[in-house]
């Protein structure tokens, strides 16, 4: 059944001159049909560079919106319209506008896990892969508000030593991991290195041998001499590790590490999206230019 659908997807992809981009958290069968599997930063860069007519973004809404901003002349499809990011919904345009009014001199650094409307009110975006670099690029005396992830923001503060005000947002999937979960995994696998995503809380991050974005974890595991790893990020990444490091062992720190939104997309959703050319993700004209400015400022940092 899967094989049949994969073949049909291939045919429709050619017909539509489409590419399929998938986040590391997607189901294995989605990663299998993807032209590129990447983290938020890699997906944004690829959207800006592709010469395809259609981008099928297998991820969540903000990722498709970023692709639509960066590839304005392409059609961007999000196979499951309901695939959102609860963390992105924790900061609204209205709440951010009120905060800006109270702090007119502050620079707003927005994690890409935000709506286009919030990006439009922000000064520069970041992903978990470049958040430290983005904040370090700002003048020392500059007042900074970082949003919406207090955990990623806390990690940046610890790395850069600079003060920032943090929006009180979080990712349910990563926030639910406790220090006890990781300690139990370490007890079960005493020789394993612990890889932690910066969306986890500080207590969990303190137990890490390496803290990195999803792509950073993939690179680290491949380069490391270690052969066993405890993974503290969403379960979908295990599929990637099985491809990049088939000889090494990876243990999910806890079965709680599942993002329900990332798991909504199935092969049938991708096929339907290509057949019907929907749902298309568009960004309204009034938001396009300011939101794109925040994104391109980030991409220009390299
Ligand atoms: P990265 O892709 O930047 O590692 O972020 C993880 C994430 O939670 C995306 O929703
Ligand atoms: Fe949002 Fe967390 Fe799911 Fe990523 S893993 S999409 S941050 S809820």
């Amino acid at each position: 059944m899967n094989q049949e659908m994969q073949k049909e997807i291939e045919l429709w992809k050619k017909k539509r001159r489409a590419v399929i981009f998938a986040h590391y958290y997607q189901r294995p069968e989605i990663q299998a049909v993807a032209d590129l599997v990447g983290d938020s930063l890699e997906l944004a860069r690829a959207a800006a560079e592709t010469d395809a007519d259609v981008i099928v973004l297998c991820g969540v809404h903000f990722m498709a919106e970023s692709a639509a901003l960066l590839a304005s002349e392409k059609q961007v499809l999000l196979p499951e319209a309901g695939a959102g990011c609860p963390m992105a919904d924790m900061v609204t345009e209205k709440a951010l506008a009120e905060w800006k009014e109270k702090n007119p001199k502050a620079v707003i650094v927005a994690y890409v896990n935000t709506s286009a409307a919030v990006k439009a009110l922000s000064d520069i975006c970041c992903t978990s892969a470049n958040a430290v670099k983005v904040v370090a690029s700002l003048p020392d005396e500059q007042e900074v508000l970082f949003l919406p992830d207090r955990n990623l923001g806390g990690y940046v503060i610890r790395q850069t030593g600079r003060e920032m005000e943090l929006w009180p947002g979080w990712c349910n999937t990563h926030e639910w991991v406790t220090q006890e979960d990781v300690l139990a995994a370490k007890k079960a696998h005493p020789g394993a290195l612990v890889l932690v995503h910066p969306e986890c809380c500080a207590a969990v991050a303190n137990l890490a041998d390496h803290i990195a974005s999803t792509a950073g974890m993939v690179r680290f595991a491949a380069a490391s001499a270690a052969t066993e790893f405890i993974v503290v990020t969403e379960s979908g990444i295990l599929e990637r590790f099985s491809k990049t490091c088939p000889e090494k062992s990876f243990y999910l720190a806890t079965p709680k590490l599942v993002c329900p939104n990332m798991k909504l997309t199935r092969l049938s959703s991708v096929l339907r999206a290509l057949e019907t050319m929907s749902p298309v993700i568009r960004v309204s004209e009034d938001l396009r230019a300011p939101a794109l400015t925040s994104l391109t400022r980030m991409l220009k940092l390299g």
Side-chain angles (χ1 to χ4, degrees), residues 23 25 39-40 62-63 111 113 128 197 199 213-214 262:
H23 191 271
Y25 297 164
D39 71 352
S40 307
F62 76 81
M63 295 175 179
Y111 193 20
N113 302 37
S128 61
H197 196 279
E199 286 178 12
S213 76
T214 46
M262 285 285 184

Side-chain angles (χ1 to χ4, degrees), residues 23 25 59-60 62-63 84-88 111 113 149 170-174 199 233-234 258-262:
H23 191 271
Y25 297 164
V60 291
F62 76 81
M63 295 175 179
C85 170
M87 172 158 66
Y111 193 20
N113 302 37
D149 187 7
W170 66 88
C171 159
N172 288 332
T173 304
H174 291 87
E199 286 178 12
T233 194
E234 213 274 348
V258 174
C259 172
N261 285 282
M262 285 285 184

Side-chain angles (χ1 to χ4, degrees), residues 118-140:
V118 165
K119 287 184 178 74
L121 284 180
S122 302
D123 296 289
I124 186 164
C125 289
C126 71
T127 74
S128 61
N130 62 17
V132 169
K133 192 191 223 179
V134 167
V135 171
S137 76
L138 302 171
D140 285 345

Side-chain angles (χ1 to χ4, degrees), residues 56-299:
V56 183
L57 204 307
C58 300
V60 291
H61 190 269
F62 76 81
M63 295 175 179
E65 230 179 23
S66 295
L69 282 164
L70 291 161
S72 58
E73 69 294 357
K74 325 257 180 224
Q75 297 263 66
V76 178
L77 306 176
L78 178 69
E80 283 296 331
C85 170
M87 172 158 66
D89 296 337
M90 288 177 188
V91 54
T92 62
E93 189 184 356
K94 185 168 172 282
L96 177 54
E98 282 167 12
W99 187 90
K100 279 181 64 145
E101 229 173 81
K102 284 189 205 133
N103 300 273
K105 289 192 184 139
V107 158
I108 315 292
V109 178
Y111 193 20
V112 285
N113 302 37
T114 43
S115 65
V118 165
K119 287 184 178 74
L121 284 180
S122 302
D123 296 289
I124 186 164
C125 289
C126 71
T127 74
S128 61
N130 62 17
V132 169
K133 192 191 223 179
V134 167
V135 171
S137 76
L138 302 171
D140 285 345
E141 64 288 355
Q142 178 64 58
E143 195 187 327
V144 181
L145 172 73
F146 187 96
L147 59 85
D149 187 7
R150 63 184 177 197
N151 291 321
L152 177 62
Y155 167 70
V156 172
I157 291 173
R158 295 194 296 279
Q159 289 294 303
T160 60
R162 74 181 286 163
E163 280 183 26
M164 298 194 295
E165 203 170 312
L166 305 180
W167 198 269
W170 66 88
C171 159
N172 288 332
T173 304
H174 291 87
E175 176 94 358
W176 288 338
V177 183
T178 62
Q179 213 175 3
E180 289 69 35
D181 290 328
V182 181
L183 289 173
K186 275 168 77 82
K187 201 169 169 193
H189 308 287
L193 294 187
V194 180
L195 307 178
V196 172
H197 196 279
E199 286 178 12
C200 295
C201 67
V204 167
N206 282 339
L207 297 171
D209 292 293
H210 187 64
I211 302 175
S213 76
T214 46
M217 285 185 193
V218 171
R219 278 194 299 272
F220 180 85
S224 170
T227 57
E228 286 187 292
F229 301 87
I230 293 164
V231 178
V232 198
T233 194
E234 213 274 348
S235 61
I237 198 170
L238 295 179
E239 174 64 13
R240 193 63 181 173
F241 285 131
S242 75
K243 297 279 181 296
T244 55
C245 301
E247 73 293 355
K248 299 188 180 185
S249 303
F250 296 87
Y251 315 107
L252 201 62
T254 151
K256 290 184 279 190
L257 278 160
V258 174
C259 172
N261 285 282
M262 285 285 184
K263 299 300 187 236
L264 285 176
T265 309
R266 294 178 176 273
L267 286 178
S268 54
S269 339
V270 176
L271 183 56
R272 192 184 51 232
L274 282 163
E275 281 171 351
T276 62
M277 286 297 287
S278 68
V280 177
I281 302 301
R282 291 196 181 87
V283 178
S284 63
E285 275 315 306
D286 54 322
L287 296 178
R288 172 175 296 286
L292 187 58
T293 302
S294 297
L295 268 176
T296 46
R297 274 191 192 133
M298 167 187 85
L299 291 175

